[in-house]
Amino acid sequence: MKTITRESRRDFLKIAGTTAGGLFIGFNWFSCDSPKVEVLSTEEVLAQAKPFNAYLSISPSGDVVIYSPNPELGQNIKTSFPMVVAEELDADWEKVRVIQANLDTEKYDRQLTGGSGAMPHSWERLRKAGATAKYVLVAAAAKMWNVPAVEITVENGIISHKGSGKSGHFGEFVAEAAQMEAPEDVQLKDKKDFKIIGTPVKNVDADEIYTGKPLFGLDFYREGMMHAMVQRAPFGMKIKSIDDGAARAVSGVSDVVQFGNSVAVVGNSTWPLMKAKKLLKIEYEAESTVESSADHDRIFQELMANGKSEVKRQDGDIKSAFQKASKIVSAEYQCPFLAHSPMEPENFFAHVQGDRCELIGPTQTPDRARQTAASILGIPAENVTVEITRLGGGFGRRLRADYVEEAVHISKAINAPVKVTWSREDELTGGAYRPAVRYRFEAALDENGRMIGYKLRGVGMNAGNTTREHNFPSGAVDNLLIETVNYESSITTNAWRAPITNFLAYAEQSFLDEVALEAGKDPVAFRLELLDRAKNNPVGQLGYDVDRMIGVVKTAAEKGNWGKNPNIKQGFSVYFSHRSYVAQVADIEMQGGTPTLKKITAVTDCGMVVNPTGANHQVRGGIVDGMGHAMYTNLTFENGVPKQRNYDSYRLIRLKEVPEIDTHFIDSGYDPTGLGEPALPPTGGAIANAIFAATGRRLRSQPFIEQKEFSDIKLEIRRS
């Protein structure tokens, strides 16, 4: 059993309240001798709830209300966070209500969603919050009953003392517990005693989502608010002149506002604004380099050959290793810009009133939204409030606050509350894309097929560091050089689900298959050979846990029946990202001469799985996302404007193109690690390697369907 020390109740409140694990929780526990309590609405529960401390409130109805601080965008954090708290409280999950907390930097730390870091960051904080609350409630019961606290038990929200036959719900002890000193030591449960964590729990918003209740930013409406839509300048351009006469003449349009390099049309609903925006006559002039996709191909070639690089890692004597190599393998891989394509386009509400500002909408970084508004308005950040709605996807796009900026600028200009809404065309052309990147790999093999040298050079457009220099196979090769080149493009970029690794994993894992082939070794055996060297004779710094990676490799090979069926052509891939490990096997079967992708087997080690239902969905969603963007999706530019403006030309994966997905999880004994992103990176590599096994065609660029090596392959996808 884990022991946590605390100096005082005041210290506990401060610590719990300044973390993402700090939660407002309303609890009411009913006596097993009492009649069944009345089930009240959430509003009634909140109205009756008595504050327990800054994070706990107790209602006499028997309902538990948990305020979840981190934005929910489909990663299931709004369900899994409360599960952790309720577990340590020994709550009755059937009595739990969950409410999205607004931004409060005094109570919560890391109140954001990004990097698959919410659960790893908050795991212990959440447990401490629940365990400490339970401790003081038990102490209060012991005092009131005049019995030893060690003889008291808590189960499903009931505090009981077997010796005296006394029992009661938490609400009976709130007043006394609020006066108790916090414990010097608080014990967390042994994981073997968990009753809620590790069980499949339905998404707490599921009923509201299914029945169309207003949860998302697009659902938000306030009487008297105005609507706005924005025309943004092409990349590298600035506004020279505006003719807004035709736009202003549209019925329902009340104003046209210019701010910075954008023009907004304002009115009483979005439909007339969509029409008016198309009638704006805006003349632009170049502000910086105006780029087209043809320019990018040239830039990649020049920088790959002569670009000034930053060395990220260098082990051994790379020059000597390649000079004495028996065989050298080299290849280049390239990926395009991509939009994030959340189901819900960007939108936000702002109401500027003098030195105050109210913000409401979907954001992954609510404090960034607040700080942005404060900076624009020149007011203290504490004068800006942020209410977080549920997000209809984000994938990194809503880490930015550009659409929040627009709402603030417009509200200030028209002196009224306004909601900015982006169309799908706005979302695809509005910037903040996944960076385009190109990689060159080189491997040196000795006479035994052993990789003695490895070089990676990455060139990215607004990508920063295009590598993950401490990830596998670093540490497994004696002589290694990893370097990166960054090109400052006028096209804005942003973190895209599993930043950098979303393509790097595909490129690395495909290249390792090329090296294994030249070495005359089975791809899985080749990876295990490298991992064995990293474990027993590591070189330099290891940024990954070798045993955990070996575990998913071996388990995936077993669960995927690697090499067992000669009629099935298989591809393998394994990757570590966001503290978790995922290995995948893709199966292709030749049917009537056509290669058919039948199945993807995925094995994940993300530590303890809090909610198997949510975890399964995260892995499946990551695989579908990774597959769709590797195979089908591309974003190209002409004169600073994306050529793909909607889903008729920006190709996403379709439901019928999703193969069977078989998921497995390894409980390695670790606390939970990231899960929102790690299943995506390995997918492209597993599929590409399977296509090579089936057709002999190596796919080195994405999307696959646009490569000449793929042009005459009629790959089908079928569920078993």
Side-chain angles (χ1 to χ4, degrees):
M1 186 169 287
K2 205 168 186 177
T3 300
I4 307 298
T5 62
R6 284 282 179 271
E7 294 182 1
S8 68
R9 177 173 178 272
R10 183 185 299 271
D11 287 342
F12 164 70
L13 296 180
K14 181 179 179 182
I15 292 172
T18 56
T19 69
L23 303 174
F24 256 107
I25 312 173
F27 298 91
N28 185 284
W29 311 94
F30 55 93
S31 168
C32 42
D33 296 326
S34 303
K36 185 174 179 61
V37 298
E38 178 185 2
V39 178
L40 304 176
S41 69
T42 301
E43 291 76 14
E44 291 172 310
V45 171
L46 291 171
Q48 297 183 16
K50 177 173 177 171
F52 181 73
N53 58 42
Y55 318 100
L56 307 176
S57 55
I58 301 175
S59 166
S61 66
D63 292 278
V64 179
V65 178
I66 303 181
Y67 279 80
S68 184
N70 287 48
E72 171 61 64
L73 52 81
Q75 82 282 32
N76 207 48
I77 209 70
K78 192 176 175 182
T79 302
S80 55
F81 265 22
M83 287 176 65
V84 177
V85 178
E87 178 66 70
E88 291 291 348
L89 280 158
D90 279 307
D92 178 1
W93 184 254
E94 295 299 318
K95 287 289 184 180
V96 169
R97 314 284 185 88
V98 181
I99 294 178
Q100 176 68 57
N102 296 331
L103 175 66
D104 192 329
T105 54
E106 293 297 319
K107 294 175 182 173
Y108 310 122
D109 179 43
R110 199 188 183 276
Q111 197 175 358
L112 60 87
T113 295
S116 297
M119 184 58 75
H121 175 270
S122 299
W123 167 252
E124 192 163 284
R125 293 169 170 84
L126 294 165
R127 296 184 68 191
K128 292 174 186 176
T132 304
K134 185 176 88 170
Y135 182 99
V136 293
L137 287 166
V138 168
K143 181 179 179 181
M144 293 169 65
W145 292 339
N146 195 28
V147 299
V150 294
E151 296 179 4
I152 290 177
T153 59
V154 182
E155 185 173 2
N156 286 332
I158 304 300
I159 301 177
S160 303
H161 181 250
K162 186 176 180 180
S164 65
K166 294 180 179 180
S167 64
H169 58 77
F170 279 17
E172 298 178 29
F173 309 101
V174 174
E176 185 64 39
Q179 307 304 315
M180 305 293 292
E181 286 293 319
E184 292 293 328
D185 304 296
V186 60
Q187 291 184 320
L188 302 181
K189 284 185 177 181
D190 285 329
K191 294 179 180 180
K192 63 180 177 59
D193 295 326
F194 286 167
K195 297 177 181 177
I196 297 175
I197 292 174
T199 63
V201 174
K202 183 177 73 171
N203 187 310
V204 296
D205 285 338
D207 292 340
E208 287 79 4
I209 292 172
Y210 297 154
T211 55
K213 298 291 174 58
L215 293 173
F216 299 90
L218 280 178
D219 297 324
F220 177 77
Y221 174 79
R222 177 176 292 173
E223 189 70 32
M225 76 179 187
M226 303 301 291
H227 293 267
M229 301 191 80
V230 180
Q231 179 62 54
R232 301 159 193 89
F235 299 105
M237 297 281 202
K238 65 179 180 179
I239 295 174
K240 182 178 181 180
S241 65
I242 303 171
D243 180 353
D244 60 12
R248 287 182 180 274
V250 174
S251 177
V253 172
S254 60
D255 205 351
V256 176
V257 177
Q258 180 183 356
F259 56 96
N261 226 10
S262 300
V263 180
V265 287
V266 183
N268 54 24
S269 67
T270 56
W271 179 245
L273 302 183
M274 294 177 74
K275 179 180 179 181
K277 190 157 75 86
K278 293 178 181 178
L279 295 175
L280 289 170
K281 297 178 181 178
I282 305 175
E283 185 180 356
Y284 298 100
E285 59 184 356
E287 183 177 38
S288 60
T289 303
V290 181
E291 300 173 11
S292 297
S293 291
D295 301 320
H296 297 158
D297 292 337
R298 172 183 52 79
I299 291 167
F300 273 135
Q301 292 174 7
E302 291 176 355
L303 294 180
M304 189 61 74
N306 304 307
K308 184 178 180 181
S309 67
E310 177 186 358
V311 174
K312 304 303 296 184
R313 177 165 177 157
Q314 188 166 1
D315 295 330
D317 187 342
I318 194 72
K319 183 178 180 180
S320 175
F322 275 81
Q323 286 177 339
K324 66 183 182 182
S326 296
K327 185 178 290 186
I328 294 176
V329 187
S330 62
E332 291 191 10
Y333 287 77
Q334 185 167 322
C335 72
F337 288 100
L338 290 179
H340 295 75
S341 301
M343 182 175 291
E344 177 192 24
E346 286 69 44
N347 63 91
F348 226 79
F349 170 88
H351 189 189
V352 178
Q353 294 177 287
D355 65 348
R356 300 273 168 183
C357 180
E358 178 187 16
L359 299 176
I360 302 173
T363 171
Q364 292 179 240
T365 51
D367 192 44
R368 175 176 290 179
R370 182 178 73 163
Q371 297 295 338
T372 295
S375 177
I376 291 171
L377 299 172
I379 62 176
E382 55 266 27
N383 288 11
V384 180
T385 63
V386 183
E387 181 178 331
I388 308 165
T389 64
R390 190 178 176 96
L391 288 66
F395 314 113
R397 179 59 182 88
R398 288 186 164 98
L399 292 170
R400 293 173 66 94
D402 49 345
Y403 55 103
V404 181
E405 292 178 25
E406 293 175 347
V408 173
H409 277 295
I410 298 167
S411 178
K412 179 182 179 183
I414 66 174
N415 193 28
V418 68
K419 180 178 178 180
V420 168
T421 302
W422 290 33
S423 66
R424 181 58 62 192
E425 287 83 359
D426 291 331
E427 196 277 321
L428 285 174
T429 62
Y433 307 111
R434 180 188 79 170
V437 179
R438 186 164 188 160
Y439 293 110
R440 175 187 290 164
F441 297 90
E442 297 178 75
L445 298 173
D446 66 13
E447 63 277 6
N448 298 316
R450 183 174 181 267
M451 189 160 72
I452 58 173
Y454 179 86
K455 290 194 286 187
L456 166 61
R457 181 181 178 90
V459 177
M461 296 193 172
N462 289 346
N465 179 16
T466 59
T467 75
R468 293 295 180 264
E469 62 270 16
H470 301 307
N471 281 7
F472 179 78
S474 295
V477 187
D478 293 334
N479 308 287
L480 177 142
L481 175 65
I482 295 178
E483 52 188 353
T484 186
V485 180
N486 186 56
Y487 171 74
E488 294 294 333
S489 169
S490 62
I491 298 171
T492 56
T493 61
N494 196 54
W496 191 95
R497 191 175 187 180
I500 299 299
T501 62
N502 56 62
F503 179 76
L504 176 59
Y506 150 74
E508 284 183 338
Q509 291 297 304
S510 295
F511 180 67
L512 285 179
D513 261 40
E514 295 196 54
V515 179
L517 178 66
E518 292 295 330
K521 297 178 180 179
D522 172 82
V524 173
F526 182 68
R527 288 169 173 81
L528 288 173
E529 175 187 305
L530 288 171
L531 287 166
D532 182 69
R533 285 157 60 186
K535 179 177 181 178
N536 295 305
N537 191 24
V539 180
Q541 179 180 346
L542 291 179
Y544 55 97
D545 186 310
V546 178
D547 287 329
R548 292 180 74 181
M549 184 169 275
I550 290 173
V552 295
V553 169
K554 290 184 175 180
T555 305
E558 175 193 349
K559 299 295 184 182
N561 295 313
W562 178 260
K564 299 291 180 64
N565 188 341
N567 296 321
I568 299 292
K569 304 302 180 181
Q570 296 181 303
F572 191 87
S573 182
V574 61
Y575 211 72
F576 159 73
S577 67
H578 301 90
R579 306 177 183 87
S580 294
Y581 302 79
V582 182
Q584 296 178 15
V585 177
D587 291 353
I588 287 181
E589 184 177 348
M590 300 300 293
Q591 295 185 340
T594 300
T596 303
L597 179 61
K598 300 278 287 184
K599 183 179 180 181
I600 295 177
T601 301
V603 174
T604 302
D605 179 354
C606 59
M608 170 161 280
V609 174
V610 174
N611 183 357
T613 298
N616 184 45
H617 291 164
Q618 286 301 302
V619 171
R620 290 174 180 273
I623 289 172
V624 172
D625 205 5
M627 174 183 172
H629 286 90
M631 292 194 66
Y632 306 115
T633 313
N634 193 7
L635 192 68
T636 59
F637 293 82
E638 187 171 347
N639 297 323
V641 178
K643 295 170 68 175
Q644 296 78 18
R645 303 178 63 84
N646 211 319
Y647 290 154
D648 57 340
S649 55
Y650 189 74
R651 172 79 153 85
L652 296 179
I653 191 170
R654 295 158 186 161
L655 184 61
K656 66 179 182 180
E657 294 165 339
V658 179
E660 177 186 353
I661 299 174
D662 186 23
T663 62
H664 303 270
F665 293 86
I666 295 176
D667 185 356
S668 54
Y670 288 84
D671 290 345
T673 49
L675 192 54
E677 293 161 288
L680 187 151
T683 304
I687 294 172
N689 290 334
I691 290 173
F692 176 82
T695 67
R697 308 285 184 87
R698 185 68 68 182
L699 300 171
R700 296 195 179 95
S701 294
Q702 293 181 2
F704 298 161
I705 61 170
E706 294 186 9
Q707 308 314 310
K708 66 181 189 315
E709 293 85 0
F710 194 81
S711 59
D712 60 347
I713 297 176
K714 294 181 173 58
L715 179 69
E716 294 185 359
I717 294 95
R718 296 180 187 171
R719 297 175 183 270
S720 298

